[in-house]
Amino acid sequence: QVQLVESGGGLVQAGGSHRLSCTASGIIFDIYSVGWYRQAPGKQRDLVADITRTGSSNYASSVKGRFTISRDNAKKTVYLQMDSLKPEDTAVYYCKAANDYVAYWGKGTLVTVSS
């Protein structure tokens, strides 16, 4: 059974830093691209950042320069380091693992940034 479990959500002050983790089980993690998406109340789920199996990363323009995605294949974990957080970063953050044939999602973790 495939599982992606996010952790690290919580309440953070604007301007602060926070790190999210997502650990996978049931898949050969290092053959998947993995990424973070977020969904704010009343809005669609959007890409935040993703990283390919070879380590190439891609960021939404709204977080470029503030967020950093990384992966540890040995731990089957992808991280999202979030710095200089803004109230508009408040959302449920979801982890996704995908290849050409299938995509798996975690259940999400809430990050609330207070002003």
Side-chain angles (χ1 to χ4, degrees), residues 25-83:
S25 59
I27 59 172
I28 303 173
F29 183 77
D30 52 359
I31 68 171
Y32 286 78
S33 292
V34 287
W36 289 95
Y37 291 69
R38 68 185 181 187
Q39 187 168 19
K43 296 189 176 181
Q44 67 181 22
R45 190 178 299 186
D46 291 323
L47 173 71
V48 175
D50 59 16
I51 184 166
T52 67
R53 52 185 291 190
T54 59
S56 296
S57 57
N58 174 53
Y59 295 91
S61 58
S62 59
V63 306
K64 195 172 293 184
R66 300 189 297 122
F67 290 12
T68 304
I69 190 170
S70 61
R71 63 189 296 166
D72 184 334
N73 290 337
K75 295 183 178 179
K76 295 189 174 184
T77 299
V78 57
Y79 304 98
L80 185 68
Q81 177 66 40
M82 305 183 291
D83 299 319

